[in-house]
Structure formats: structure tokens, C-alpha cells
Amino acid sequence: MTDKLAFLKTVKPFSLLPEEVLLSVADLLQEVKYTKDTAIYLQEITKMKGVDLIAEGEYESFFYDSEQNKRVLEHHHSGYCYGGISVLLNRKRSLRSVIARKGTKVYFLPRRDFRQLCLGYEDFFHHFTAEFGRRMLNDEFAHFVKRPSAFQDNFIASDQLYSRKIETLVYRDLVTCSGDTPIYVAARMMADKKVSCLFVHDAQGQIIGYLTDISIRDNVVARQVNVQEPVQQVMDNPIVSISTQAYVYEAILLMFRTKTRYLLIEQNGQYVGFISRNKLLSEQAQSPFVFIQSVKLAQSAEELKRKWEKVPEIVYQLLDRGVKPEIVNQVITTVSDTITTKVIEGVIEEMGAPPAKFVFMVLGSEGRKEQTLNTDQDNAIIYEDKANEQRELVRKYFLRFAELVSERLDTIGFSYCKGGFMAKNPKWTHSLSHWKRNYSSWMQEPDPETVMKFSTFFDCRYIYGEASIMEELRVFLDEELQKPLGRFLYHMAQNALQYVPPLTFFKNIKTFTKGSQEVFDIKKTMTPIVDLVRVYALKNRVYKTNTGERLEALKALGEFNDMDFHELMHSYYYLMSLRLKKQAVQMIQDKAAPDNFIDIRSLTKIEQVTLKEIFKTIGKFQASIKLKFTNSLLG
């Protein structure tokens, strides 16, 4: 037991678990030895019964190509955990083929126990999803992922194939006709109703068959049947139905087994609708990782635009399946970063190599990795300092470069920033020394308007270029933040107090009228959390930009206790979930531009009560920051 415990402490991500948990895990481990080279897993075939922790020896993992050559070959040694991605994200099938080399000893942890750890410890779970995400950025690895439709960024969502019932799906209403209806009339009904399947009933109203586009092609046109003939002569059957209480995977298996493309949905002995095989399979094909890979492979601005237009649907489905909003933010941000990188690379290819090293950085919500679907451009360029005779040449290149990048991003769907915080604005494309002077003046001689206006620049994040330039700016900021900054932090704190949570004196949600709706601005409601967490991060020289990551770092430093941390995290991401889902619905269902206004009448009583508690939480933390920064720091 002692040996196993010591070993577990060397294995990522098991080393992240509390010691008392590790003791329990050590007790569950089963020792397995291989005395000769043994092929133990075959990609997409072998069902994983658990995960393997290599104690001694070596695993060789790879993909077989069509010629049985080993591709993306990797060697894993002591301390490596194999099988986590397969269990969580690949329907429990081994993602890769694996050979255990002679003399290898592993500790095996059963699948059920492994998944319990994933459910109980987020950092443990995210180790595997993050590893998979990194691997999918490798073109060759992504190419050999055999069934991308099986992957999800969240294994709980992936498992909904096995836990989700038919009643939770959106299915089509039945469109029917009698068996003696002429073929041409039936075809006209299909066109008018915009359906690809028309169900046929007898005189008693019982469904006896169906007509599809393929039926018309094969049974009418190919056979030259007179379209005046009754539809029952050319309809297809048999009828296949499934209960609303059946599971999605049962429906898919039934369709493949019967070779039908349409299923009738049955509830209490009555047919209430139908669903197509394509619809069912597309429900399982929402894989953010594979989608991101497809964005990476896009060849034109028009193709990138089409990819960005698909994001609302992915966002809605992820939220609808219970994926956490902070993960959805990461998906949006990764797609956005990938698109921006593709655009930058395209412009450089056209203009030629830059005359100086540079960094393209993003600011604001994009810099915090908290983008929503109502997003605009917030970016800037830092280039290295050059000798006097080269300065004009360098500046001319980057201003033209910034203009082209911004124009293309606007075309794709990232609109111009109304406040002008873009690299195409000459104010925000400058040398490193100029940027240092910017930050120094904002911090050393601040006033309320300056701090409010430029606070977004303290959420800056590197996205493309020379990382060392960004690192030099960070080192400079670290030095500046160690100087007396009472007035700067005071004004930053005041910034977090500008917006008052929308609660009336009687603790009801305060709204304003917009058209026929009674709404509140959810973006403004979230802003105080962003602002107050930023103040604490700057005070403690925390250089994370994401609000959640900042909170975690501040909790580790003792700035927030467990209760404060959980209250703020829950509040922020509950609001984020409401905001993202509302925007996705606007774009998908309403075909309207997304906004940040929530109609109070669209919320359930539980949602309204939750919001009131969140607003109280924000007010409490605003009172705390007022006491800590606006009083004590000014002395």
C-alpha cells in the first residue's frame, strides 16, 4: 500500500488529489505484469475496462494507417496514465493501438472508480480534456481520430447518447395523407410543408407506409409511374416506431437494424411525431475539438465566416447538454483565436515577412477568454524597437498590416470596436517602449476617466507573434506594480463600484422597458465581478487574465476564502450561462443580432430568485472592495 501511494503521487493528474483520496485509490489498484511484448489495445476496437498507470517498463502507442503502418508513434514510461481520454471521450474504446513492452508493470484502476474521481475532482477531469485538446492541434493526430462525431469536450455530455431519452429531442410533427391520394398531390404536400417524409394512412387512420424523396425517385420516376396513381402503390414500408421513453442509442441501433431512415415517435399508444436518421446522427456530431480542427483547415475568409456562423449552434447545444459556461467560453475563444491566427497568417503571406518582431494581442473579454456571441474586435500590436532610420518603415508596415487584419475579421463577423480599441487605430499599434510609457502613465498618474477607459488593457493576452515581447511587457508591469499605486488601485476599485446591481428597495429585480419587454442588461450586471477581481489581481500581481483563473489564483494566495470564491464563481458563470444561451437563441431561432438584454418575464421563478441572490452577492463584494481599497489604500 505504501509503495502504491508513493507511486500515485508521481502520476499526473493523480498527484492533484488529496492524500486521503489517494489512499483509497491505492487500495483499488490491481497489478498487471507483461513478460513479453504484448498488443493489448487496438484503436477503436478494444473496450477500455479502466485506465493503466505505468509503474515500470514502456507502452508504445500509435495509430495504424490503411497500410498498417504505425503513425504518430509515442513511447510512454513510468508515471504515465493511459486510457483516460478513451474512457471519457471515445465511447470507452481505445483511441490508439498499444503494445506493452516486455518487463512492463502497470497498476490498473477500474473504469467506474476512475469516473467517480472525474466527477468529484474537476482538476483531475480537466487534465484529460486539456490533453486531448492539445493533441487535436496536431494535424496528423486529428487526421487519425477515426470517429470525430463521438467526441465531446465533456464526457457527461458524450454519455447522453446512452442516458438521453427520445422525449428530450426535438422531433417533427407528422404530415399525413390517405392511401388513395394521387402521387402528384402527395409530392405537392411535401413541398408545401417542407418535409422529406410524408406518412400514409388507411381509411381507419392507421399509418400504413410513407413516401420520401427517395421513394419518388426510385418508385415513381425510375419506373415511369403515372403521377395520377394513388400514393399507396409507391409508398415504402414497414413502419418502424419507438417510444418517447426509449434512449437515443436504442433509436440509432433500431434504424441501422431495420435500414429505415425515419422513425415514428410513440407516446401512450399514439404517434406524436417522427425523427430522421440524419437528425439523430447529427445530434451526436457536435464536437468542439473536431470543429476547431476544421476551422484550422479553412482556406478562405468566406470559409472562416461560415465556420464562425456555426458557433451559436455549438454553444447552444453544449449549454443544453450541461457543459459548464466557462468551458463554452473556452470553445468560443479557441475558435476566435484560431480564426484570428488564420487571418494574420494570410495577411503576412500577402504582405511579406514583417520588418520587425511583433506581438498581436487581444484585450477585454477576448483577452480574458470570456468571449460571448455578441463580440467585437479588441486588439493591439506591439513591435520591437528599431533604429531611427527603420522606424517609419516598420510603422508603415504594421499600420497597413493591422488595417488588413481588422477588415478581414470584420468581414468574417468580428465587428469593429465602437470605442476604437483596435490595432488599425494608430494609437494602439506601437513599439514596446511606447507601450511601456502608456502603461506607466496610466498607473503613475491616473484619473477616474483614464482608468475606466484603459482598464481593458490590463486584460491583454498574447495571441500571435514573438512571445518574448509580451514577456518583457509583463516583467515591466510587475516592476511597476511593486511601486506605491494607491491612487491607481483606488480608481480601479471605484470602477468596480460604478454599476449598482439591479435590485429595488424591496429586493425585486429592477428593469427598464425596451420595446415590449421589461429587461435588464446582463453584461453590465457581470461587469462589477470582472472589475473587482481585476483589482485584486493587480494588487497581488496575478497575471492571469481570465476571471475564473484569477479567482483561483487569488484563493490560493488567501485573498478569498472558500465561501467567497465559490459565491463569486457561481455568480459569474451563472450569469454567463444565461447570457450565452440567450444570445444563441437570438441568432439560431430569431435570426437576429445578439444583445445583452434579458427579459425578466422569460425567466422562471427559480431563475429570478437565483438572480436576486447573485445581485446581493455582488453588492456584498462591492461593499468589501469599497472598504478595502477606497478607504485603506488612500490612508
Side-chain angles (χ1 to χ4, degrees):
M1 173 69 78
T2 306
D3 290 344
K4 288 181 181 178
L5 179 61
F7 168 70
L8 280 173
K9 291 179 179 179
T10 68
V11 180
K12 262 201 165 185
F14 288 84
S15 58
L16 301 172
L17 300 173
E19 182 147 349
E20 61 269 26
V21 175
L22 288 181
L23 277 168
S24 301
V25 173
D27 196 44
L28 297 167
L29 295 178
Q30 303 165 24
E31 186 175 301
V32 181
K33 290 185 177 180
Y34 296 96
T35 56
K36 59 182 180 179
D37 287 2
T38 309
I40 53 175
Y41 301 126
L42 185 61
Q43 66 202 60
E44 299 296 336
I45 302 293
T46 310
K47 190 170 183 179
M48 302 294 297
K49 295 179 181 178
V51 298
D52 297 338
L53 284 63
I54 304 174
E56 298 171 9
E58 177 187 307
Y59 270 14
E60 181 181 277
S61 70
F62 50 87
F63 293 108
Y64 277 124
D65 64 16
S66 60
E67 301 295 324
Q68 294 299 294
N69 297 312
K70 295 177 182 178
R71 304 289 294 275
V72 198
L73 182 67
E74 293 179 3
H75 298 275
H76 311 292
H77 301 92
S78 178
Y80 185 80
C81 175
Y82 180 82
I85 292 174
S86 302
V87 170
L88 300 179
L89 302 170
N90 197 34
R91 307 163 349 274
K92 310 178 194 71
R93 304 286 172 181
S94 182
L95 183 64
R96 290 153 68 76
S97 296
V98 176
I99 294 173
R101 291 301 177 195
K102 180 180 178 181
T104 295
K105 181 176 84 173
V106 301
Y107 290 119
F108 169 78
L109 180 67
R111 188 171 66 218
R112 187 179 71 172
D113 301 310
F114 171 71
R115 293 187 63 164
Q116 285 300 314
L117 290 173
C118 289
L119 286 168
Y121 300 92
E122 277 196 33
D123 289 347
F124 183 85
F125 165 57
H126 286 310
H127 168 86
F128 298 96
T129 56
E131 181 184 1
F132 180 66
R134 286 192 300 272
R135 286 169 175 271
M136 284 302 287
L137 295 177
N138 178 306
D139 292 340
E140 191 176 18
F141 184 96
H143 175 76
F144 282 102
V145 172
K146 295 297 183 183
R147 279 189 280 274
S149 63
F151 291 94
Q152 297 286 352
D153 66 344
N154 181 323
F155 78 92
I156 298 170
S158 178
D159 264 8
Q160 289 197 355
L161 175 64
Y162 301 98
S163 64
R164 193 176 185 188
K165 291 189 175 181
I166 296 296
E167 66 182 356
T168 67
L169 301 178
V170 177
Y171 40 81
R172 299 289 300 272
D173 292 332
L174 292 177
V175 179
T176 65
C177 71
S178 63
D180 57 5
T181 303
I183 295 168
Y184 79 93
V185 174
R188 188 178 295 161
M189 287 179 66
M190 292 171 67
D192 290 344
K193 298 290 186 180
K194 293 182 170 57
V195 294
S196 56
C197 183
L198 179 73
F199 288 90
V200 182
H201 61 76
D202 61 17
Q204 289 73 45
Q206 296 296 311
I207 303 292
I208 58 173
Y210 59 92
L211 185 73
T212 67
D213 296 340
I214 293 175
S215 308
I216 295 172
R217 184 195 70 190
D218 293 349
N219 303 344
V220 180
V221 179
R223 297 177 187 173
Q224 297 185 330
V225 173
N226 187 335
V227 293
Q228 301 283 350
E229 294 293 325
V231 73
Q232 62 189 12
Q233 291 190 12
V234 295
M235 69 184 184
D236 285 322
N237 52 47
I239 292 297
V240 182
S241 66
I242 195 164
S243 166
T244 54
Q245 295 306 300
Y247 291 101
V248 171
Y249 80 90
E250 292 178 303
I252 294 173
L253 289 175
L254 180 61
M255 283 183 154
F256 282 120
R257 191 164 64 245
T258 60
K259 298 185 180 178
T260 186
R261 292 170 53 244
Y262 298 90
L263 277 183
L264 280 165
I265 311 299
E266 184 181 350
Q267 185 176 34
N268 299 325
Q270 300 290 320
Y271 295 135
V272 294
F274 76 99
I275 195 163
S276 70
R277 184 168 66 192
N278 285 347
K279 171 68 174 174
L280 267 182
L281 293 177
S282 68
E283 284 278 323
Q284 311 312 318
Q286 300 305 320
S287 166
F289 294 126
V290 176
F291 177 75
I292 290 164
Q293 182 65 18
S294 75
V295 175
K296 199 176 174 191
L297 297 173
Q299 297 297 311
S300 65
E302 185 57 39
E303 193 176 352
L304 289 170
K305 185 176 189 294
R306 289 197 299 270
K307 295 292 183 186
W308 182 243
E309 288 168 351
K310 288 183 180 180
V311 172
E313 187 175 346
I314 291 175
V315 165
Y316 183 85
Q317 292 199 8
L318 290 174
L319 290 170
D320 199 43
R321 295 178 179 192
V323 177
K324 293 185 175 183
E326 52 265 50
I327 297 175
V328 179
N329 275 147
Q330 291 174 27
V331 171
I332 299 171
T333 299
T334 306
V335 173
S336 171
D337 286 358
T338 306
I339 288 173
T340 304
T341 299
K342 291 285 292 184
V343 168
I344 290 170
E345 289 172 346
V347 170
I348 289 174
E349 191 174 334
E350 285 179 25
M351 291 185 63
K357 295 176 182 177
F358 76 103
V359 158
F360 189 93
M361 65 179 181
V362 288
L363 319 165
S365 62
E366 193 175 355
R368 295 192 304 275
K369 298 181 280 188
E370 292 164 10
Q371 275 184 287
T372 66
L373 299 173
N374 181 17
T375 190
D376 58 8
Q377 294 184 44
D378 286 299
N379 48 51
I381 289 174
I382 308 174
Y383 51 82
E384 65 178 330
D385 290 281
K386 286 285 189 177
N388 287 340
E389 63 272 15
Q390 294 180 287
R391 284 180 186 170
E392 285 306 312
L393 172 70
V394 169
R395 183 156 180 76
K396 183 179 179 182
Y397 175 96
F398 282 113
L399 287 176
R400 177 59 181 156
F401 167 81
E403 191 175 343
L404 290 176
V405 169
S406 285
E407 283 175 3
R408 287 182 197 179
L409 288 174
D410 181 63
T411 300
I412 289 165
F414 301 92
S415 57
Y416 291 133
C417 174
K418 295 181 179 66
F421 293 109
M422 294 177 292
K424 75 188 294 285
N425 182 339
K427 287 177 67 176
W428 309 125
T429 289
H430 270 295
S431 66
L432 179 57
S433 59
H434 188 104
W435 275 103
K436 287 179 179 179
R437 288 195 296 274
N438 277 346
Y439 277 99
S440 185
S441 66
W442 297 334
M443 296 163 74
Q444 294 297 332
E445 301 173 14
D447 60 67
E449 186 180 345
T450 299
V451 167
M452 186 178 294
K453 190 174 181 181
F454 300 125
S455 60
T456 188
F457 285 94
F458 291 92
D459 295 337
C460 61
R461 179 171 62 87
Y462 161 91
I463 195 172
Y464 187 93
E466 192 70 30
S468 61
I469 293 176
M470 202 73 179
E471 176 59 19
E472 187 173 339
L473 179 63
R474 190 201 65 77
V475 170
F476 172 78
L477 288 177
D478 190 64
E479 292 170 353
E480 292 292 299
L481 286 168
Q482 293 179 60
K483 297 175 181 178
L485 291 173
R487 288 185 58 78
F488 170 68
L489 292 174
Y490 167 81
H491 290 312
M492 274 282 189
Q494 287 288 81
N495 206 21
L497 301 174
Q498 293 299 311
Y499 181 76
V500 179
L503 277 180
T504 67
F505 180 78
F506 297 104
K507 303 302 181 187
N508 291 318
I509 297 175
K510 192 186 297 180
T511 62
F512 59 91
T513 303
K514 182 177 179 290
S516 62
Q517 298 181 322
E518 290 299 316
V519 303
F520 69 93
D521 189 327
I522 195 165
K523 179 181 179 181
K524 287 186 177 178
T525 305
M526 297 170 71
T527 298
I529 302 178
V530 172
D531 289 344
L532 72 88
V533 172
R534 183 193 296 118
V535 177
Y536 280 107
L538 290 171
K539 172 180 175 281
N540 289 277
R541 291 160 42 218
V542 168
Y543 297 104
K544 307 278 189 184
T545 58
N546 176 262
T547 299
E549 291 175 0
R550 280 171 167 170
L551 276 168
E552 288 174 351
L554 291 166
K555 174 174 168 274
L557 291 170
E559 192 70 68
F560 292 118
N561 60 34
D562 281 351
M563 184 179 291
D564 291 345
F565 168 76
H566 287 298
E567 281 186 351
L568 281 169
M569 284 286 280
H570 170 75
S571 298
Y572 189 66
Y573 286 111
Y574 185 88
L575 294 171
M576 182 66 79
S577 180
L578 275 182
R579 186 179 176 192
L580 288 172
K581 204 160 194 177
K582 199 265 183 173
Q583 290 179 356
V585 168
Q586 282 182 299
M587 298 178 79
I588 298 167
Q589 295 183 9
D590 305 339
K591 301 296 180 187
D595 59 38
N596 292 303
F597 302 115
I598 302 291
D599 186 350
I600 196 70
R601 290 168 299 188
S602 70
L603 302 174
T604 66
K605 293 257 189 244
I606 292 174
E607 287 173 328
Q608 291 186 37
V609 169
T610 303
L611 280 175
K612 289 175 188 177
E613 291 305 312
I614 286 172
F615 297 158
K616 290 177 191 174
T617 296
I618 294 172
K620 181 182 80 173
F621 281 100
Q622 284 183 312
S624 172
I625 202 171
K626 184 174 185 179
L627 178 67
K628 187 169 290 189
F629 287 90
T630 65
N631 292 344
S632 64
L633 284 180
L634 283 182

